[in-house]
């Protein structure tokens, strides 16, 4: 089952059960939203989960592109991506958690052909405010799926305040031998689908009030699901990444971990630019800048002559088309190449500054602040340059013996 068939199977399953498809939105949240990027399928639906009537009714389904920087350091493993797509279904005050779980089990078993003995779930086991989710435990037990109770790992919230509630996460066994252990004890159990029961609103003081309209929010990472359905080792091996994995290794020879970072960050950069973001020193633009510079740092580590001008336009076009974006290929390439030129100049200036001032690691917080505010050299750039120069960039918290009085040099 390829990626298009997977999306179609999911959408049609819920359409047959009265759900209306909504259009997946941009990575850019609406004005006034404090979050830089859309991080989940439910993010644009927060007002409706809190009780506002949705124009298409109480049952919804969609495919939403998302971006998460919290997992940035994990990109390169088998499951994490910076930009990804999320399949989602919602009940806005309609059916409850038990029905959602039963449909989820049915779709995984009958729609996607996943054997029931390869499934395991985790369920909220309760805390000092809310008791265990006994209804979900009972529902899964009736279907014969093993359950592991956890604490905060099975409590979902949209931030420190706002709608929240217990969730049930569905895992699929990816090992070659028969399933063993539990999701918390064996990493071969891979999470594919989260069913959240939006029951409460959390206030600034941490207290909880029941929502006037409890709802259901489910989210399933498309790339992870496709990887499992195709029996692949990692998300980078599924058909979503076929054009990138065929092209980039021939273009730039590097190790597997670096290859994955390059592909993920470049692809993510294309999507971010496609949604209208430009590189800058703050906010969304800084995320784009950071992604691009991590790519360039990885490329130049092995060969300083490498350049993003070698990136084929076909890859950019494929990505824009996949994410249904109308931005032109030439614009994307122009933004990336301009950022490459800026970064190259900054590296040259950074080396000169560190050499002239005599900075050696480890540096203090005062050193990093001085280099950033006076010379425009961000911490991660300084750390990279110190490593390149053979110095230890480890930062002590407050040891005056490591401080360099840069002002007097």
């Amino acid at each position: 089952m390829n990626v298009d068939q997977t999306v179609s199977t999911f959408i049609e399953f819920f359409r047959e059960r009265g759900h209306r498809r909504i259009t997946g939105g941009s990575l850019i949240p609406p004005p006034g939203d404090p979050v830089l990027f859309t991080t989940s399928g439910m993010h644009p639906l927060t007002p409706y989960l809190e009780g506002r009537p949705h124009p298409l009714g109480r049952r919804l389904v969609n495919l939403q592109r998302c971006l998460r920087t919290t997992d940035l350091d994990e990109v390169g493993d088998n499951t994490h991506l910076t930009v990804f797509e999320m399949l989602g279904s919602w009940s806005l005050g309609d059916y409850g958690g038990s029905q959602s779980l039963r449909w989820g089990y049915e779709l995984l078993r009958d729609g996607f052909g996943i054997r029931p003995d390869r499934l395991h779930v985790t369920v909220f086991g309760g805390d000092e405010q809310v008791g265990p989710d006994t209804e979900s435990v009972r529902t899964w037990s009736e279907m014969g799926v093993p359950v592991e109770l956890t604490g905060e790992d099975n409590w979902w919230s949209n931030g420190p305040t706002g709608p929240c509630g217990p969730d049930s996460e569905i895992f699929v066994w990816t090992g070659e031998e028969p399933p063993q252990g539990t999701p918390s004890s064996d990493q071969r159990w891979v999470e594919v689908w989260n069913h959240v029961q939006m029951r409460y609103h959390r206030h600034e003081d941490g207290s909880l009030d029941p929502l006037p309209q409890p709802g259901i929010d489910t989210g399933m990472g498309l790339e992870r699901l496709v990887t499992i359905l195709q029996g692949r080792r990692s998300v980078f091996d599924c058909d979503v990444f076929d054009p990138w994995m065929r092209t980039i290794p021939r273009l730039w020879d590097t190790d597997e971990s670096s290859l994955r970072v390059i592909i993920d960050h470049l692809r993510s950069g294309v999507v971010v630019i496609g949604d209208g973001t430009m590189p800058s020193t703050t906010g969304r633009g800084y995320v784009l800048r950071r992604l691009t510079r991590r790519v360039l740092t990885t490329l130049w580590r092995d060969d300083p002559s490498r350049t993003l001008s070698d990136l084929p336009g076909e890859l950019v076009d494929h990505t824009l088309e996949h994410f249904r974006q109308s931005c032109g290929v030439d614009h994307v390439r122009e933004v990336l190449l301009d950022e490459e030129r800026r970064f190259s100049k900054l590296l040259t200036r950074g080396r000169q500054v560190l050499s002239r001032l005599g900075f050696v690691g480890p540096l203090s917080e005062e050193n990093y602040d001085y280099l950033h505010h006076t010379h425009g050299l961000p911490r991660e750039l300084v750390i990279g340059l110190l490593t390149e120069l053979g110095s230890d960039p480890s930062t002590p918290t407050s040891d005056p013996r490591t401080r360099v009085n840069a002002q007097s040099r």
Side-chain angles (χ1 to χ4, degrees), residues 4 23 47 65 98 110-111 134 139 171 202 209 222 224 277 332 338 356 373 396:
D4 292 333
T23 303
R65 57 180 174 271
S98 180
D110 300 337
T134 55
T139 300
F171 293 76
R202 188 180 295 279
D209 279 338
L222 174 61
R224 282 194 192 181
T277 297
V332 174
D338 182 64
R356 184 177 74 250
H373 296 300

Side-chain angles (χ1 to χ4, degrees), residues 5 25 46 51 134 146 157 182 199 228 331 336 340 351 380:
Q5 292 168 332
T46 300
T134 55
S157 60
T182 65
R199 297 178 180 175
I228 289 172
H331 172 69
L336 292 175
E340 179 181 294
R351 294 186 186 100
E380 62 267 25

Side-chain angles (χ1 to χ4, degrees), residues 10 14 19 40-42 45 49 60-62 86-91 95-97 99-101 103-104 107 156 167-168 170 192-198 215-221:
F10 184 93
F14 282 100
H19 294 67
S40 66
M42 66 78 59
L45 292 172
L49 288 164
L60 306 173
V61 61
N62 88 335
M86 183 170 286
L87 294 159
S89 62
W90 292 271
S91 165
Y95 56 84
Q99 179 64 79
S100 179
L101 298 181
W103 278 340
L107 176 56
W156 197 95
D167 65 45
S168 184
I170 306 175
V192 293
W193 205 354
N194 191 8
H195 291 240
V196 182
Q197 301 182 56
M198 293 293 188
I216 303 297
D217 157 44
T218 85
M220 177 156 56

Side-chain angles (χ1 to χ4, degrees), residues 1-125:
M1 187 175 289
N2 63 30
V3 62
D4 292 333
Q5 292 168 332
T6 301
V7 172
S8 176
T9 298
F10 184 93
I11 298 297
E12 289 306 314
F13 178 90
F14 282 100
R15 273 181 169 168
E16 291 172 358
R17 288 153 183 80
H19 294 67
R20 300 282 298 278
R21 182 171 184 176
I22 57 177
T23 303
S26 164
L27 287 175
I28 313 303
D33 195 314
V35 178
L36 291 179
F37 293 101
T38 297
T39 59
S40 66
M42 66 78 59
H43 194 115
L45 292 172
T46 300
Y48 306 104
L49 288 164
E50 291 179 324
R52 181 191 301 176
H54 194 282
L56 292 182
R58 291 176 174 266
R59 298 185 181 190
L60 306 173
V61 61
N62 88 335
L63 176 67
Q64 171 69 47
R65 57 180 174 271
C66 307
L67 185 150
R68 293 181 183 175
T69 57
T70 52
D71 298 331
L72 207 57
D73 290 333
E74 297 182 75
V75 170
D77 67 6
N78 290 335
T79 60
H80 287 90
L81 297 169
T82 305
V83 166
F84 60 96
E85 292 185 282
M86 183 170 286
L87 294 159
S89 62
W90 292 271
S91 165
L92 305 178
D94 195 334
Y95 56 84
S98 180
Q99 179 64 79
S100 179
L101 298 181
R102 292 182 185 280
W103 278 340
Y105 176 77
E106 181 184 350
L107 176 56
L108 291 176
R109 182 194 62 191
D110 300 337
F112 293 126
I114 297 176
R115 286 171 24 204
D117 63 356
R118 293 178 60 208
L119 297 177
H120 204 305
V121 299
T122 59
V123 172
F124 182 66

Side-chain angles (χ1 to χ4, degrees), residues 183-195:
S184 66
S185 66
D186 196 315
Q187 293 185 345
R188 288 171 293 183
W189 288 106
V190 174
E191 179 196 347
V192 293
W193 205 354
N194 191 8
H195 291 240

